[in-house]
Amino acid sequence: MLTFHTADTQLRHPRSELHGGQLVTPFECPERVEIILARIRAAALGEVRDPERRGLAGVLEIHDAAYVEFLENLWDNWQAEGHGGEPIPSIWPARTLRGDRIPDNLEGRLGYYALAAETSVCAGTFRAALASKDIALAATDQVLAHGGGAFGLCRPPGHHAARDQFGGYCFFNNAAIAAQHARDHGVARVAILDVDFHHGNGTQEIFYTRDDVLFASIHGDPALEFPYYLGYADETGSGRGAGFTLNYPLPPGTGYPRWRQALEDALARIQTFGAELLIVSLGVDTFAQDPISSFTLESDDFSDYGGLLKRTGLPTVFLLEGGYAVEEIGVNVVNVLSGFDAG
Ligand code: OKP
Ligand code: ZN
C-alpha cells in the first residue's frame, strides 16, 4: 500500500497541552509520525510519496471562511499582543451566554472558534494543517484513480474539527475534506468509518443533514469520554440525513470481541447504504496501552480488522487520527494496513 506524507506536518509542535490542571508535553506529538514511518519501512509496506501541495483547495468546501482566516492569523495576532505562552482558549459562548456574536477581541474569538482547551496553537500549526489536508487529498486521488487502499499519514488529525471549530488536536477535518473531494469527482455515496477511540464529533456535525455521506463511529461512551457532548446512540442524522449517522458508544474496558461486533454491524450498514468509497478515520488509541483511552485492543487485533475492512471490497482511504501509545503506534497502524493488504 502507498503512503502519502510530507515533513511539513512536523511544523506542528506545540509545547503545551492543558491536562489535569498542568501544562504537559502534548500527547499528539511529532514523534508519532517518525515511529509510523520507521515501521512502514521496516515492514516494507510500500512507497512513501509526497502529496501535491494545493494551498487552501478543499478547505473552504467544508470549513467556514472566517474560521480559516482566524486560524491563519492566530499565531501572528497572539504574538502581536505580546503573550508569553501559546494560545489556549479560556472563555466560550457557553450555555448562559450569547452564541450569535463573534467578538473582535482575540481571546474572545479564540473561545468562539474552539471546542476545548487542550489544543494549543504554535507558529507552524496552520501550515501543518494544510499539509495534513493535502496528504488526505493525495491518498484519496490515489484510490479514486487506482482502487485498492492508500494511507494518508496525516498530522494534525481532523475528526474533532467541525465547520468552524478546532479542538481535540484537530483543525481541518481531513476525512470530511477527502469525502467532499470524492463527491466532487463523481463518487455518489461515500462512507466515513471512524474507528478512533474518540467520537468524531466534527465529521458528524459536517454531514449530519446529508444523505450522500454516511458517518459511522465506534468510540468510548461520551457520557464518560471526550468529547462528552456528542456521539450518543440516539444521534442518527436529521432531515435528509436521517439514518445516515451511526454511533456505537462502548463502555470502558471494551475488548476486541465486542468492538469487532460493532465493526461488523457498521460495515453491513455501509454495504446496504451502497457506498462506493470507504474513508477510514484511523485512530489506534483503542489500543490497551493507550495513555488517554480505555479500550483493550491488542496489536494482533489491528491486523484482524484490517482484513475485515478489505473484505468489503470497497476502495479504501485510511487517514491517521489518534493513537498516543507512541512506542507501539507504528506496529498498530501498519498492522491495520498490512492486514488490509493481506485480506
Ligand atoms: C483526539 B483524537 C485528556 C483528555 C482528552 C483530548 C483528547 C483528544 C483526542 N486530558 N483530551 O480523537 O485521538
Ligand atoms: Zn482519539
Side-chain angles (χ1 to χ4, degrees):
M1 186 181 304
L2 287 181
T3 295
F4 293 86
H5 182 71
T6 166
D8 278 4
T9 64
Q10 307 302 58
L11 295 167
R12 171 128 181 97
H13 48 73
R15 65 171 188 267
S16 57
E17 171 172 343
L18 183 59
H19 176 71
Q22 292 187 299
L23 293 180
V24 303
T25 301
F27 290 94
E28 201 291 285
C29 58
E31 293 71 39
R32 298 174 64 241
V33 153
E34 302 305 335
I35 289 172
I36 294 168
L37 283 172
R39 183 62 188 176
I40 286 170
R41 293 193 189 100
L45 179 74
E47 205 182 310
V48 179
R49 290 193 187 159
D50 277 322
E52 177 196 335
R53 299 309 308 272
R54 313 188 201 200
L56 276 174
V59 174
L60 296 172
E61 282 82 352
I62 293 297
H63 293 287
D64 173 74
Y67 166 72
V68 175
E69 195 188 327
F70 165 79
L71 285 181
E72 182 167 18
N73 298 314
L74 172 56
W75 178 258
D76 288 346
N77 288 340
W78 188 259
Q79 291 313 110
E81 288 190 353
H83 302 292
E86 296 174 326
I88 298 177
S90 56
I91 181 161
W92 287 266
R95 287 177 297 103
T96 56
L97 302 176
R98 280 179 66 168
D100 64 334
R101 303 287 304 195
I102 303 178
D104 297 329
N105 177 275
L106 188 59
E107 181 175 62
R109 270 188 296 150
L110 183 56
Y112 183 84
Y113 288 121
L115 58 81
E118 80 293 293
T119 304
S120 303
V121 172
C122 67
T125 292
F126 187 77
R127 281 174 291 158
L130 284 177
S132 193
K133 176 271 301 179
D134 283 340
I135 289 167
L137 290 175
T140 304
D141 277 341
Q142 163 67 27
V143 169
L144 293 181
H146 303 287
F151 176 44
L153 178 37
C154 296
R155 192 182 163 267
H159 72 151
H160 297 301
R163 196 180 76 90
D164 65 355
Q165 280 188 315
F166 74 95
Y169 317 148
C170 302
F171 297 89
F172 297 148
N173 194 309
N174 303 312
I177 290 168
Q180 186 60 48
H181 180 75
R183 288 285 298 108
D184 294 343
H185 286 76
V187 181
R189 282 175 299 278
V190 178
I192 302 176
L193 172 67
D194 192 324
V195 297
D196 186 280
F197 172 79
H198 303 94
H199 177 248
N201 61 280
T203 317
Q204 172 170 311
E205 183 252 358
I206 288 163
F207 296 114
Y208 204 63
T209 61
R210 286 172 56 167
D211 60 3
D212 57 333
V213 179
L214 178 140
F215 175 68
S217 180
I218 306 167
H219 50 268
D221 183 348
L224 305 170
E225 303 286 355
F226 184 94
Y228 306 115
Y229 304 102
L230 211 66
Y232 296 85
D234 65 353
E235 298 157 17
T236 56
S238 71
R240 292 178 65 96
F244 296 91
T245 290
L246 304 172
N247 282 305
Y248 299 86
L250 297 173
T254 292
Y256 191 57
R258 186 162 183 189
W259 191 91
R260 191 185 203 265
Q261 278 179 1
L263 179 64
E264 286 179 4
D265 193 85
L267 291 176
R269 302 280 293 267
I270 285 167
Q271 298 283 20
T272 307
F273 165 66
E276 297 169 4
L277 177 71
L278 177 61
I279 296 174
V280 179
S281 268
L282 179 61
V284 295
D285 41 9
T286 48
F287 183 49
Q289 311 304 321
D290 194 272
I292 63 169
S293 307
S294 66
F295 291 170
T296 60
L297 272 63
E298 296 296 341
S299 293
D300 288 345
D301 301 329
F302 292 94
S303 310
D304 185 78
Y305 85 68
L308 266 186
L309 295 175
K310 178 65 168 287
R311 264 164 267 158
T312 65
L314 293 170
T316 302
V317 182
F318 293 92
L319 302 176
L320 185 67
E321 302 282 0
Y324 309 100
V326 175
E327 296 278 287
E328 296 300 321
I329 190 177
V331 168
N332 293 340
V333 166
V334 174
N335 277 3
V336 176
L337 306 173
S338 307
F340 180 91
D341 277 346

